[in-house]
Amino acid sequence: MLRIHFTYDDLARVRIADGPDALWEVQLSLHALQTRGRAVELTPWRRRTLHTLPREVVRPLAEIAPPRGISPDFMTPSGGARGFGEGMEIALRTPKSAISGQVAAMAGQRRLTPWVEAVRRAEASALRTLGRAMAIYHEGAIAPVWPSLSAVVQADRQLRAQQMADGGLEAVLAGIPGCRWRAPVLEIENYTDAEVHLEGRGLLLQPSYFCEPETPMKLCDPGPEPMLTYPTAKPATGLTFSKDSVGSAQTYGSPEGPVTALLGRTRATALAAVRSGCSTSELARRCEISVGSASQQASVLREGGLITTRREGAAVRHEITSLGVQVLSGALVS
């Protein structure tokens, strides 16, 4: 059982997040993606995500964010609520010693794969792979349902506000799934035995759509801003996919809306085709254009910082950058 101890100062500093935390939703959705027995309302989202995202993106993320046991704290830093891009920048700026220690702690529960071992050593190439995979996953699995997900989180926040109005803070704390309030201690069942003393820092309550029912989560090291992530109630209809979300990573159709208006249809299609990485000949095939035209499109996208190109033997491989993912999702052009 986890026991969180409050002082009077802590009770005065309890607050509820005003929206979902992007990086927590990424990590917890990865847990849900790997757990077939989860709620039936997640089935359409899980089926679409597994169908559209390439395995080379999902596999490394599944290795570092297993559905059971611990995941490294640096992947869910304080700041994810301000947006995915800013949250990832904070995550990847984590000191190497902290990354190493957090990933090493996973070895006590499961054998680390060679790629996770490279992350533990904070190798630059491994961290680039992690950042790129996280960006592609967010763009394919979370961004299309973000408006719907955000609406669920806002509804939960309104529920907590009503609880506060009717019964005060004690009603809010007692109403968190899987928790029991025994003043001045919040007890959480089904959790490793631990005692956390807030000592005047307060507590941020973070509602999460993908948090597993009846199992609130928290950062292993609360730090200066302790956060308790807990599950929202989920509507029976599940999440609604945004109509203007980008096409799948396997169907390389041209994105519509502001991305096409900004880049032009052919170049927008090329950017979408690079999401899972490809050679110039693969790019030409996906876009149904000549190899020479594909090379020209890749050159323009590279000069704009939207993709990178590296040599692999006699061929080259193009990969999308974080900026490219943001442009493709419409985050920088809408």
Side-chain angles (χ1 to χ4, degrees):
M1 177 186 297
L2 172 67
R3 292 165 53 86
I4 303 177
H5 297 258
F6 289 73
T7 65
Y8 288 116
D9 288 339
D10 294 315
L11 292 172
R13 293 186 174 95
V14 172
R15 59 191 183 92
I16 304 171
D18 60 3
D21 185 297
L23 292 188
W24 268 111
E25 297 298 347
V26 165
Q27 178 161 298
L28 295 176
S29 69
L30 281 164
H31 297 174
L33 196 66
Q34 300 172 72
T35 309
R36 292 182 178 275
R38 289 289 299 271
V40 66
E41 63 269 11
L42 293 180
T43 300
W45 169 85
R46 185 186 294 109
R47 183 183 300 118
R48 172 170 167 153
T49 300
L50 289 172
H51 175 71
T52 60
L53 283 175
R55 291 184 179 180
E56 57 265 31
V57 169
V58 176
R59 187 184 301 112
L61 295 180
E63 292 173 358
I64 203 167
R68 293 289 179 268
I70 62 175
S71 298
D73 285 351
F74 80 91
M75 292 178 61
T76 50
S78 176
R82 294 192 289 272
F84 174 79
E86 184 173 352
M88 275 306 301
E89 287 183 9
I90 295 172
L92 296 178
R93 288 201 305 265
T94 303
K96 292 183 178 181
S97 58
I99 293 176
S100 179
Q102 292 169 17
V103 177
M106 299 175 63
Q109 299 182 340
R110 60 189 296 165
R111 183 177 181 179
L112 303 184
T113 65
W115 179 76
V116 177
E117 280 283 5
V119 175
R120 181 188 63 78
R121 295 190 296 271
E123 294 180 5
S125 61
L127 294 179
R128 283 197 301 270
T129 297
L130 175 61
R132 184 167 58 249
M134 289 276 283
I136 294 173
Y137 179 87
H138 174 267
E139 187 263 336
I142 302 300
V145 296
W146 189 254
S148 177
L149 183 154
S150 297
V152 175
V153 170
Q154 287 295 338
D156 184 273
R157 192 170 192 265
Q158 293 172 7
L159 170 63
R160 306 303 165 192
Q162 187 61 52
Q163 290 175 339
M164 176 73 79
D166 294 341
L169 182 57
E170 288 190 339
V172 174
L173 295 174
I176 297 175
C179 295
R180 180 171 57 245
W181 174 247
R182 291 185 175 178
V185 178
L186 184 66
E187 298 178 341
I188 302 176
E189 299 283 358
N190 302 321
Y191 207 95
T192 303
D193 288 344
E195 306 282 337
V196 173
H197 294 266
L198 298 177
E199 299 176 331
R201 294 171 297 167
L203 183 68
L204 173 64
L205 300 176
Q206 177 63 64
S208 166
Y209 182 89
F210 282 105
C211 188
E212 187 171 353
E214 306 302 323
T215 309
M217 316 227 355
K218 79 171 191 66
L219 292 174
C220 296
D221 179 10
E225 187 180 19
M227 174 197 294
L228 180 67
T229 306
Y230 67 90
T232 63
K234 296 176 178 58
T237 54
L239 292 169
T240 301
F241 292 91
S242 174
K243 293 181 179 180
D244 59 356
S245 61
V246 180
S248 78
Q250 301 297 333
T251 304
Y252 304 99
S254 176
E256 299 297 334
V259 180
T260 298
L262 175 70
L263 300 178
R265 183 170 297 276
T266 300
R267 196 156 296 146
T269 302
L271 182 59
V274 175
R275 276 182 297 186
S276 58
C278 63
S279 65
T280 302
S281 59
E282 288 173 325
L283 179 62
R285 177 177 55 81
R286 293 174 181 182
C287 298
E288 299 181 348
I289 56 179
S290 68
V291 173
S293 179
S295 178
Q296 181 181 20
Q297 297 297 337
S299 177
V300 174
L301 293 173
R302 183 170 57 253
E303 290 175 2
L306 303 182
I307 69 170
T308 60
T309 302
R310 58 185 172 84
R311 182 159 294 281
E312 288 188 342
V316 296
R317 183 172 179 81
H318 308 294
E319 295 177 332
I320 197 167
T321 64
S322 297
L323 176 61
V325 171
Q326 293 181 63
V327 169
L328 195 59
S329 66
L332 298 183
V333 296
S334 57

